[in-house]
Amino acid sequence: ENTFTVIASSEVTPLEVSKPLLSSVGEEQYKYFQIRVTKPKCVLLISITPLTDGDPDLFVSFGEDVRPALELGNVDFYSSSFKGEQLEISNEDIAPRTSMEGVWTIGVYGFANCTFTITAAYETEKVMPLISGLPTDFDLSAGKVQYFRWYNYYSDNFSIIISEEEGHVITRINHYEEDFLTKLPSENSSTWSSETLTDRTILKLSQEKDDTKQFCVDCSYLIAISAKTSARGFIIISIPGEPIYLQDGRALRYTVEKDNYELFEYMTPRIDINMIVYYGQPEIYVSLNPNVSKDNYNWTLIPHIGEKLVNLRIEGPDTSANKSNNNSNSSVDPFSGFEPTITTYYIAVYGKKASSYLIMSTLEDVEILLSEGELTYGFINPGDYQTYIFYCSVDFPTSFQRLKFYLNVYNDRFTNYSNLTDAEIKQQPKTDIYFDNLKTGIDKQYEKAPVLRDQTTYKDLHGMVRSQQIIQVKENEGLYIVNVTNPHTHPINFSIIANRLDTFAIPLGTSLMSRVGVGEVEMYELYVNQSGILAVQATPCFGAVRFAVATTLEKLVNREFEMEVRSPKTHGGVSYGTVGVTQGMIYIGVQGIEGVVDDKDDPTREALYKFEANLLPNDTLPANDYFSPGDNGAIKIQQSDVDNTTKKLEFEWRSVEPAVKNSEGVDGSLTFTVRYSLVVTKDPVLQTSFGFCSYMPVEFSNFTKRDSFVYEYSEVSDAKISDKEPKTMKHSTILQKGSTYFIGVYAMVKGFQNGVQTWETPLVYQTEQVSLNVQTPPNQNIVTGLMVVCAIGFVGILLGVCWLLFRYRYLKRELRYQVMTTDVSNLEEPQIDTRKGKGPTVAAISD
């Protein structure tokens, strides 16, 4: 049985050079366009940016009557990658023809229903036109520049949004009124640059705040995007009061001022809105009416104070949730003839306070594109899964280069976490990673990526983050597909980050565990919405780090720091510091200064640490200064024998105590809890990693032959600044003799505002070292043998003494005789008595 696709179409849409067009294509269908090229020699650039999921492919042929289709074999040129497409055609590509002049027919094929923008332009002009609110893709190789042009008809302020999905770019801007080729921005010639602005991804230009005096209305702006390494993403021009079209599964980071709105549109039968709150209090309102607001909406989601990740799922236009009463106007769907079930949802983000956020809209089961270093939200019900994709360009390949995926699992109101057991706390989503080299034929490679390192730390139900995971795979050029599955009986709320260049954009108050090589630097981008005190903290799991803070990326590179912490501030190795900041982006560089090698295939010495930063009101103290370990961190240990091989150890320490007087400088809206962890290990490195991070590096202990023994006892209690007398904490356990143990107590102090955790800081007690000696009972055979040996020895000693005594007496007699003989020989001839019967008389010798 033969199957075929109907391709014939009388509908061909004409394109104008350098004018973007909004269009759509149905599932497994072709949509055709034509462009008339009037230049014999030129480079024709055709670009497609999808707004909804569907991954359109691009097919091009020369001729007015041809309809290019893969099935017909009449395609001259094609482009098939994931998401957006860009195709260049030049005179060198059309041999044996020599002229580009004529009609070119463009076919767009949709693997699924898809809305997109299409643009055809002469690349000799090196400029792509932009339409406000519509995203346009860029794709740069190392050292290249891509130019864009936008005409400002009437707005006295607008924003240029740069969404980086891979790599990092520099944006430079000029305005022009005549020959634009002479005004192309460059490193040495630009009016505005992301290198000097406080926010390098959201460039806000306005007539009111223009220090350059170059802002203009009814004129054009030239935008140059360059990259030192491979970079990919999209650019959007945003005008206040006008909507931005959201792309399916592609996140957009933006801001909203206090009491203002930012508007978005999304075309789909149903919608799943995910938001990550970087700072402030944004509120989401959704309507079928273009005039959406907090007074006119069909659905709404208002994050709790301090909440970072929220989700609003709308199953269709007929579902109801938080309906308002004035929704009489229905939406006008410009694609109703193409797809009757498509609905346009109008989304308003209202700033109750000035806010920074990331917003993304998706369909069910759609593949979500990960932006490098950007936090992406995920919510999975029991038994469901979510697929993420990340394209990786390897600029400087090495044999041990790693691509890292970071997953945080959260405690929040969406997951009913309070009902979980201790075992369920440690239930991670199942993560499978596949690699596609995007080649065809015999060079095609699609396989499961072997996991080189999987590091997970677990916490509890008393804070924002339940667990943190780092998965490392070998970095290759191609597409990584990450399937995250929830095999458990409770929903999982999580975030995921893909990273290869060690740059992170995370919300304030969010803890992130990461690894950095000794001498290497990781960079964090943080947005603050108001002036205050920025408190930065780096907690080592193993190794050590230092960090520096700057207000622009250029200052960070040039070492013009606002604040630098070069060594830990506590004996436990925690590095922290504070600096005054104003509204805008803050850049923090973290460098590894000590580390370990824990991989036989990777010689890099790395430090594992946790990073967190918080914005505090002026005139308040950082959290590290609120409390201190009781009794100066002393731990008392009592030992007693249980039997010949074990001992009972009794531990005693004092609870944390206030380090401030009369609550001076303390945020009065906060409440506190303390989680005490008593940790016993046989290795000092593992003592630190488990004590600070609840992390036991199994690979490291196996690689270095270290003993991975660990014992932990934990207890949670409330803490108050008004507590004057610390209480005594006690615990006991039985340990085996014959080893040296390292004992530490770690107090994790957590601050809560309206029931939501806003920060945490560790306090470290003094680490004690205890050697438990083995006292083995004597062996009876050995004792008997020793007694026999001792008896023989004693007899031998007696015989020896007797022999020495006898010898002494003999020598003494001999000595007396020799002395007597010598003395007699020295005397005069004795006088002989003549009386008969008398013998000779010898004079007496005195001693």
Side-chain angles (χ1 to χ4, degrees), residues 106-401:
I106 304 165
V108 178
Y109 177 80
F111 286 95
N113 298 333
C114 182
T115 303
F116 59 90
T117 61
I118 181 170
T119 307
Y122 296 138
E123 202 178 27
T124 51
E125 298 175 352
K126 300 181 180 180
V127 175
M128 287 289 293
L130 299 174
I131 296 178
S132 60
L134 290 178
T136 300
D137 288 342
F138 60 80
D139 195 343
L140 299 170
S141 55
K144 298 299 183 180
V145 182
Q146 192 165 345
Y147 296 98
F148 301 88
R149 181 178 73 245
W150 179 71
Y151 193 88
N152 181 19
Y153 287 97
Y154 51 83
S155 181
D156 59 1
N157 69 90
F158 63 91
S159 298
I160 301 173
I161 306 172
I162 306 296
S163 183
E164 298 170 326
E165 295 175 331
E166 181 192 5
H168 305 288
V169 301
I170 299 172
T171 307
R172 299 183 176 95
I173 308 164
N174 282 332
H175 84 277
Y176 76 96
E177 297 178 359
E178 296 180 357
D179 185 8
F180 69 86
L181 291 177
T182 63
K183 298 288 289 184
L184 291 175
S186 65
E187 184 176 358
N188 300 319
S189 175
S190 64
T191 306
W192 300 275
S193 172
S194 62
E195 294 177 294
T196 57
L197 296 175
T198 56
D199 193 332
R200 65 182 188 87
T201 59
I202 305 174
L203 289 71
K204 296 188 175 184
L205 306 183
S206 70
Q207 198 165 33
E208 180 182 356
K209 299 180 180 180
D210 180 30
D211 297 331
T212 65
K213 307 300 181 184
Q214 298 293 313
F215 189 94
C216 62
V217 179
D218 196 18
C219 66
S220 291
Y221 289 82
L222 288 171
I223 304 165
I225 296 179
S226 61
K228 295 181 180 180
T229 61
S230 298
R232 174 180 47 79
F234 58 90
I235 178 175
I236 298 177
I237 302 294
S238 174
I239 297 177
E242 297 185 9
I244 295 173
Y245 287 88
L246 293 177
Q247 302 175 80
D248 202 21
R250 299 178 81 178
L252 177 69
R253 185 175 178 182
Y254 203 29
T255 61
V256 61
E257 298 299 324
K258 182 179 179 181
D259 297 327
N260 286 356
Y261 291 94
E262 293 296 343
L263 305 177
F264 303 90
E265 287 187 20
Y266 185 69
M267 291 171 285
T268 178
R270 53 192 176 276
I271 186 173
D272 201 5
I273 302 175
N274 300 321
M275 175 177 281
I276 296 176
V277 181
Y278 287 92
Y279 201 82
Q281 289 181 248
E283 300 175 352
I284 302 174
Y285 298 93
V286 183
S287 176
L288 303 176
N289 186 341
N291 299 318
V292 59
S293 69
K294 64 177 182 177
D295 300 317
N296 180 22
Y297 62 88
N298 294 76
W299 305 269
T300 183
L301 179 63
I302 300 177
H304 295 170
I305 296 176
E307 205 165 37
K308 302 298 182 184
L309 295 93
V310 293
N311 170 266
L312 175 61
R313 178 167 294 181
I314 302 173
E315 297 295 339
D318 297 330
T319 60
S320 60
N322 298 323
K323 280 213 173 200
S324 66
N325 296 321
N326 52 350
N327 292 300
S328 57
N329 295 331
S330 61
S331 62
V332 178
D333 185 0
F335 306 104
S336 58
F338 147 66
E339 178 59 53
T341 60
I342 281 186
T343 302
T344 299
Y345 292 93
Y346 300 92
I347 306 167
V349 177
Y350 173 74
K352 190 171 184 179
K353 291 184 178 180
S355 306
S356 174
Y357 57 91
L358 183 143
I359 187 170
M360 179 177 65
S361 295
T362 65
L363 289 165
E364 285 185 278
D365 304 329
V366 71
E367 293 180 340
I368 296 176
L369 183 64
L370 295 176
S371 299
E372 184 169 8
E374 198 86 57
L375 208 67
T376 300
Y377 175 89
F379 181 88
I380 311 178
N381 282 312
D384 285 350
Y385 72 95
Q386 180 65 64
T387 300
Y388 299 88
I389 56 176
F390 178 74
Y391 182 78
C392 181
S393 296
V394 181
D395 297 293
F396 310 104
T398 62
S399 60
F400 50 84
Q401 197 150 322

Side-chain angles (χ1 to χ4, degrees), residues 39-41 62 91 94 96-102 104:
K39 296 183 178 183
K41 290 187 177 182
F62 181 78
N91 292 76
I94 62 173
R97 289 200 322 275
T98 58
S99 175
M100 288 285 295
E101 193 173 9
W104 291 83

